[in-house]
Amino acid sequence: MMAMAMPSMVDYLLRFGDSALILSQRLCAWCGKAPALEEDIAISNVALDLLGQARMWLSLAGELEGLGRDENDLAFFRDSSEFRNLLLVEQADEHYADTMVRQCFFDIWHVLALDALEASTDERIASIARQARMEVGYHVRRSRDLVMRLGGGGAKARAMMQAAVDKLWRYTGEMFECDGLDLAMVVQGVGFDPCALKPPWLDDVQIVFAGAGLKLPSQEAWIQTGGKRGRHSLQHVELLAEMQHLPRLHPGARW
């Protein structure tokens, strides 16, 4: 009987790096197309912050993997099934309400996750979390504010925001799913228990969305998971095809 492989620190790092990378790519699609000039600049800055965070996580993952792959190799030369991002961040945008609801759900979780990772016994992980946390503090303030403003922006805006909440809610539960890899990282003092983040996340989300006049679906609603284990949507495959086209067409190319 074959021995089971030990949970991988590399896979754990990829969960954070891939989520930041894929969300950054989603947000970059709004560059030059956001609903206002100020917002165009702001969302581009958030995308760049997330891209920088992705580089830190993926660089460390590549170093620990020991196969000579750097952050560029991990970003551009893996297929969809090798990515470990949350399903929430790969969801395509029909309109800006989708973007901001997704961003607020993610940002509130992201702050809590980074706060927890700052206590990691691995100083490299704790250091990345500290650096990222300074940027994400701005992200969450911005997304909370925009959800409140859009939800209170009239009947049409509120209807679009409510539709986005109803569509994206099913993907939020994965953020609090605790599997064998999470448990192994907790035992080692490296990571955190995702389940412990749900009560504070839910408290914050309920305050923000109630203030925006938006209703959250039932806590018993069906939840979609799988992204953390490499099971992704066709939307993810299409996003990677666009993101990875040039590096794969011209491997090793340099500016």
Side-chain angles (χ1 to χ4, degrees), residues 97 146-163 211-214:
L146 279 170
V147 165
M148 296 280 284
R149 289 164 60 188
L150 290 170
K156 182 178 180 180
R158 185 177 295 109
M160 293 173 70
M161 290 291 284
Q162 186 64 58
L214 302 170

Coordinates of all heavy atoms in Angstrom, one line a residue, residues 97 146-163 211-214:
A97 N -21.2 46.1 -10.1 CA -21.7 45.6 -8.9 C -21.1 44.2 -8.5 O -20.7 44.0 -7.3 CB -23.2 45.4 -9.0
L146 N -17.7 51.6 -0.9 CA -18.3 51.6 -2.2 C -19.6 50.7 -2.2 O -20.6 51.0 -2.8 CB -17.4 51.1 -3.3 CG -16.4 52.1 -3.8 CD1 -15.4 51.5 -4.7 CD2 -17.2 53.2 -4.6
V147 N -19.6 49.6 -1.4 CA -20.8 48.8 -1.2 C -21.9 49.6 -0.6 O -23.0 49.6 -1.1 CB -20.5 47.5 -0.4 CG1 -21.8 46.9 0.1 CG2 -19.6 46.5 -1.2
M148 N -21.5 50.4 0.4 CA -22.5 51.2 1.1 C -23.1 52.3 0.1 O -24.3 52.5 0.0 CB -21.9 51.9 2.3 CG -21.4 51.0 3.4 SD -22.8 50.5 4.4 CE -23.0 51.9 5.4
R149 N -22.2 52.9 -0.7 CA -22.6 53.9 -1.6 C -23.5 53.4 -2.8 O -24.5 54.0 -3.2 CB -21.4 54.7 -2.1 CG -20.7 55.6 -1.1 CD -19.3 56.0 -1.5 NE -19.4 56.7 -2.8 CZ -18.2 57.1 -3.4 NH1 -17.1 56.7 -3.0 NH2 -18.3 57.8 -4.5
L150 N -23.0 52.2 -3.3 CA -23.8 51.7 -4.4 C -25.1 51.1 -4.0 O -26.1 51.2 -4.7 CB -22.9 50.6 -5.1 CG -21.7 51.1 -5.9 CD1 -20.8 50.0 -6.3 CD2 -22.1 51.9 -7.1
G151 N -25.1 50.4 -2.8 CA -26.4 49.9 -2.3 C -27.4 51.0 -2.0 O -28.6 50.8 -2.1
G152 N -26.9 52.2 -1.6 CA -27.8 53.3 -1.3 C -27.9 54.2 -2.5 O -28.4 55.4 -2.3
G153 N -27.6 53.8 -3.7 CA -27.5 54.7 -4.8 C -28.8 54.8 -5.7 O -28.7 55.2 -6.8
G154 N -29.9 54.2 -5.2 CA -31.1 54.2 -6.0 C -31.6 52.8 -6.3 O -30.8 51.9 -6.1
A155 N -32.8 52.7 -6.8 CA -33.4 51.4 -7.0 C -32.6 50.5 -7.9 O -32.4 49.3 -7.7 CB -34.8 51.6 -7.4
K156 N -32.2 51.1 -9.0 CA -31.5 50.3 -10.0 C -30.1 49.8 -9.5 O -29.8 48.6 -9.6 CB -31.2 51.1 -11.3 CG -30.6 50.3 -12.4 CD -30.4 51.1 -13.7 CE -29.7 50.3 -14.8 NZ -29.5 51.1 -16.0
A157 N -29.4 50.7 -8.9 CA -28.1 50.3 -8.3 C -28.3 49.2 -7.2 O -27.5 48.3 -7.2 CB -27.4 51.5 -7.7
R158 N -29.3 49.4 -6.3 CA -29.5 48.5 -5.3 C -29.9 47.1 -5.9 O -29.4 46.1 -5.4 CB -30.6 48.9 -4.3 CG -30.8 48.0 -3.1 CD -31.8 48.5 -2.1 NE -31.3 49.8 -1.5 CZ -31.9 51.0 -1.8 NH1 -32.9 51.1 -2.6 NH2 -31.4 52.1 -1.2
A159 N -30.7 47.1 -6.9 CA -31.1 45.8 -7.5 C -29.9 45.1 -8.1 O -29.8 43.9 -8.0 CB -32.1 46.1 -8.6
M160 N -29.0 45.8 -8.7 CA -27.8 45.2 -9.3 C -26.9 44.7 -8.2 O -26.3 43.6 -8.3 CB -27.0 46.2 -10.2 CG -27.8 46.7 -11.4 SD -27.0 48.0 -12.3 CE -25.6 47.2 -13.0
M161 N -26.8 45.4 -7.1 CA -25.9 45.0 -6.0 C -26.5 43.7 -5.4 O -25.8 42.8 -5.0 CB -25.8 46.1 -5.0 CG -24.9 47.3 -5.5 SD -23.2 46.8 -5.7 CE -22.7 46.8 -3.9
Q162 N -27.8 43.7 -5.2 CA -28.5 42.6 -4.6 C -28.3 41.3 -5.5 O -28.1 40.2 -5.0 CB -30.0 42.8 -4.3 CG -30.7 41.7 -3.6 CD -30.1 41.6 -2.2 OE1 -30.1 42.5 -1.4 NE2 -29.6 40.3 -1.9
A163 N -28.4 41.5 -6.8 CA -28.2 40.4 -7.7 C -26.8 39.8 -7.6 O -26.6 38.6 -7.6 CB -28.5 40.8 -9.1
G211 N -26.2 48.0 6.2 CA -26.1 49.4 6.0 C -26.4 49.9 4.6 O -26.7 51.0 4.3
A212 N -26.1 49.0 3.6 CA -26.3 49.3 2.2 C -27.7 48.9 1.8 O -28.0 49.1 0.6 CB -25.3 48.6 1.4
G213 N -28.5 48.4 2.7 CA -29.9 48.0 2.3 C -29.9 46.7 1.5 O -30.9 46.5 0.8
L214 N -28.9 45.9 1.7 CA -28.8 44.6 1.0 C -29.0 43.4 1.9 O -28.6 43.5 3.1 CB -27.5 44.5 0.3 CG -27.1 45.6 -0.7 CD1 -25.7 45.6 -1.1 CD2 -28.1 45.6 -1.9

